[in-house]
Amino acid sequence: MTESFSAEDLARRRAASRRLGWAIGLAVLALYILGFFIKR
C-alpha cells in the first residue's frame, strides 16, 4: 500500500486541524460567556 500523504501534507493538515480546534473552542467559550449576560 502506498503512502497517501507526504510529510508536508500531514504537517499542513495537522496545522489546519489545530487552527480549526482553537476556532471551535473559542466559539464555544464565547457562547458560554455570552450565556451569562443573556437572561432567558
Side-chain angles (χ1 to χ4, degrees), residues 27-38:
V28 167
L29 187 63
L31 286 174
Y32 178 71
I33 291 171
L34 272 174
F36 284 120
F37 298 107
I38 298 172

Side-chain angles (χ1 to χ4, degrees), residues 2-15:
T2 60
E3 220 183 314
S4 23
F5 302 116
S6 67
E8 305 89 51
D9 200 15
L10 282 175
R12 240 194 328 274
R13 284 169 176 265
R14 270 195 299 269

